[in-house]
């Protein structure tokens, strides 16, 4: 079974500071990994994803994440936080091993990390 | 572009009532999902579907039912509503595994 652990339910940074949101996963097969962002009272929006290939993935709004197989991690970073980055962020994993025609492809989400940005 | 559309956005139910949350997507996606989101708990999968006529249970299916008669629609039925079903519900869809999963804007349900 796959699982996701997000370290820190709440992260607070100053505007202009580095953003680091941590995500560790458990999967018996090579995973697909995702970061989603949720603004208040809205649905989830994809920030970035890793499926295969380059382990450093760039997403929207200046975010990036690096897949580290040896550490089973997929941490999200942004060099300089903006006030508009304040939101809840979710890491998600799906087992590549079950990805085939007719398979039960689905995502398992972490519990989320609320990011606040202080002026 | 409409994407994934959920209705209603807000609903208050009394204990024991039933209702259906509607979800439709116009992207011809095969895979559709229903999640519920509770504070501090992330998203939990209720039911999912890999195509018309095919549905299966997720992590928390008790108290819910789904159907998938068409590719576009994936309604979620709550029978005999209970306070534990107070939550925010999200419908989502994707074309194929590994592709972006698109979410609706959510349905806020309160059971009193």
């Amino acid at each position: 079974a796959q699982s996701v652990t997000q370290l820190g339910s709440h992260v607070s940074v100053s505007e202009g500071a580095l953003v680091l949101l941590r995500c560790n996963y458990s999967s018996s097969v090579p995973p697909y990994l995702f970061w989603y962002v949720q603004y208040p009272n809205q649905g989830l929006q994809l920030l970035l994803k890793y499926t295969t290939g380059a382990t450093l993935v760039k997403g929207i709004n200046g975010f990036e994440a690096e897949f580290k197989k040896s550490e089973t991690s997929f941490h999200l970073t942004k060099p300089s936080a903006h006030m508009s980055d304040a939101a809840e962020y979710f890491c998600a994993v799906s087992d590549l091993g079950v990805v085939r025609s007719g398979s039960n492809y689905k995502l398992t989400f972490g519990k989320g990390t609320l990011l606040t940005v202080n002026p | 572009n409409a994407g994934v559309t959920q209705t209603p956005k807000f609903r208050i139910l009394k204990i024991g009532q039933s209702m259906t949350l509607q979800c439709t997507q116009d992207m011809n996606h095969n895979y559709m999902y229903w999640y519920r989101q509770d504070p501090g708990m992330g998203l939990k999968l209720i039911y999912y579907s890999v195509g018309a006529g095919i549905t299966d249970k997720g992590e928390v299916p008790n108290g819910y039912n789904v159907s998938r008669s068409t590719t576009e629609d994936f309604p979620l039925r709550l029978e005999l509503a209970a306070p534990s079903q107070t939550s925010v519900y999200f419908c989502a869809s994707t074309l194929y595994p590994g592709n972006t999963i698109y979410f609706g804007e959510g349905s806020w349900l309160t059971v009193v």
Side-chain angles (χ1 to χ4, degrees):
Chain A
Q2 60 203 26
S3 65
V4 176
T5 301
Q6 290 185 240
L7 299 175
S9 60
H10 186 196
V11 171
S12 182
V13 301
S14 298
E15 192 172 19
L18 171 72
V19 175
L20 170 61
L21 304 182
R22 300 179 186 273
C23 172
N24 288 90
Y25 69 90
S26 171
S27 176
S28 58
V29 295
Y32 287 159
L33 294 161
F34 304 79
W35 275 100
Y36 280 84
V37 60
Q38 184 181 32
Y39 298 102
N41 298 321
Q42 294 186 25
L44 279 73
Q45 178 184 3
L46 181 69
L47 273 179
L48 48 81
K49 64 179 180 181
Y50 168 80
T51 54
T52 59
T55 56
L56 181 62
V57 180
K58 295 185 184 299
I60 62 172
N61 301 337
F63 285 93
E64 62 181 37
E66 186 171 11
F67 169 56
K68 292 187 176 181
K69 183 179 178 180
S70 61
E71 299 177 7
T72 60
S73 69
F74 191 57
H75 302 329
L76 181 71
T77 61
K78 182 174 180 177
S80 177
H82 295 163
M83 296 295 291
S84 60
D85 294 328
E88 190 156 22
Y89 292 79
F90 292 92
C91 183
V93 64
S94 181
D95 282 350
L96 179 62
V98 296
V99 175
R100 58 187 182 275
S101 177
S103 72
N104 54 346
Y105 173 66
K106 55 187 182 291
L107 290 184
T108 297
F109 285 87
K111 293 185 177 181
T113 298
L114 181 64
L115 175 67
T116 58
V117 181
N118 304 308
Chain B
N1 293 336
V4 180
T5 303
Q6 294 179 231
T7 57
K9 194 167 180 69
F10 300 98
R11 181 73 185 269
I12 298 175
L13 275 182
K14 294 184 177 179
I15 294 172
Q17 285 185 323
S18 300
M19 75 160 296
T20 299
L21 297 176
Q22 301 291 345
C23 175
T24 188
Q25 51 88 11
D26 62 358
M27 298 173 282
N28 202 32
H29 286 174
N30 289 322
Y31 296 81
M32 295 189 73
Y33 312 87
W34 275 105
Y35 287 91
R36 60 176 287 173
Q37 184 180 28
D38 301 298
M41 299 301 294
L43 282 80
K44 299 291 187 183
L45 183 65
I46 305 171
Y47 270 95
Y48 64 97
S49 170
V50 301
I54 306 170
T55 63
D56 207 348
K57 297 177 180 179
E59 299 175 75
V60 290
N62 292 342
Y64 307 94
N65 276 300
V66 294
S67 60
R68 186 91 183 273
S69 57
T70 67
T71 299
E72 295 78 18
D73 300 309
F74 190 43
L76 177 71
R77 178 81 176 164
L78 282 72
E79 304 283 0
L80 299 175
S84 61
Q85 294 178 303
T86 294
S87 188
V88 184
Y89 292 84
F90 288 98
C91 181
S93 73
T94 188
L95 180 60
Y96 56 81
N99 201 17
T100 300
I101 293 184
Y102 294 88
F103 284 81
E105 294 191 343
S107 296
W108 275 253
L109 176 66
T110 301
V111 182
V112 297

